[in-house]
Amino acid sequence: MSAKIELLLRLDAEEELERRQEGDDEFSENYDDARLWLPEGVELPEVLPAGLRALYALTAHPQFGDLRFSSHHDFWPQPLIDSAGEVIDAGNTLTIGRAEDQSIVLDLDTDTVFIFDFLYFRHGLDSGFVLRCDSVAEFVSTVALGPRYPYIHGPHETWREPWWLTDPWYIYLKELGFA
């Protein structure tokens, strides 16, 4: 995770993606943001998992394509619910960001990070747990900055068109050899 973020900073990747957006009408039509944001890091409280603290030390509330991490002031506990509106006992969870309409959730007891879709039943999914990683570092390295990025909105078979093939962030990840 750290090496990939440090490489993005050295390459001035934010500016590169902004340049691409300004020079490509299709990019501008389909996306209203530059797809990458790496603000200056901040120190998080020791009560939060080490992986989350390491990420925020590098870059506070970053954005990687459709994944937007919240400011640490905006983390909030959010009960997870099933299709019947019943609370799922998923542990001591904290919502730390968004993947469009879905939540990026951290289990404080296990350090597991997952994307949870509260409308999973409307999207034809069997469960709200779209994607799961054992740690923040794994999530950032393999999902936000890696080959699992195309699965952030659910399995490929749930999509009529492969949105990830035209996503400028995923294209850039492939160019860098991250995906």
Side-chain angles (χ1 to χ4, degrees), residues 15-141:
E15 189 173 300
E16 172 60 18
L17 286 170
E18 285 176 24
R19 184 192 61 73
R20 291 179 186 201
Q21 181 179 14
E22 291 169 3
D24 184 341
D25 291 337
E26 188 174 326
F27 186 131
S28 298
E29 286 175 27
N30 295 326
Y31 299 95
D32 61 356
D33 57 30
R35 314 297 292 152
L36 178 64
W37 190 48
L38 301 170
E40 187 175 328
V42 297
E43 189 173 324
L44 294 183
E46 290 288 322
V47 296
L48 293 171
L52 187 63
R53 291 193 325 266
L55 171 63
Y56 277 64
L58 291 166
T59 176
H61 61 283
Q63 175 185 346
F64 304 106
D66 285 346
L67 300 173
R68 295 173 188 249
F69 287 84
S70 301
S71 164
H72 66 287
H73 299 295
D74 295 327
F75 294 167
W76 72 94
Q78 182 176 26
L80 308 179
I81 57 171
D82 64 16
S83 61
E86 298 295 322
V87 174
I88 299 169
D89 182 17
N92 184 14
T93 60
L94 192 64
T95 297
I96 60 171
R98 313 257 341 130
E100 289 192 346
D101 295 334
Q102 305 163 113
S103 295
I104 302 171
V105 180
L106 170 66
D107 182 328
L108 294 168
D109 296 329
T110 65
D111 292 350
T112 301
V113 177
F114 52 90
I115 294 178
F116 191 83
D117 184 348
F118 284 90
L119 299 175
Y120 68 91
F121 47 91
R122 288 189 186 163
H123 299 140
L125 301 173
D126 295 332
S127 165
F129 296 94
V130 175
L131 187 144
R132 197 183 300 240
C133 293
D134 290 336
S135 67
V136 172
E138 179 188 346
F139 183 83
V140 172
S141 188

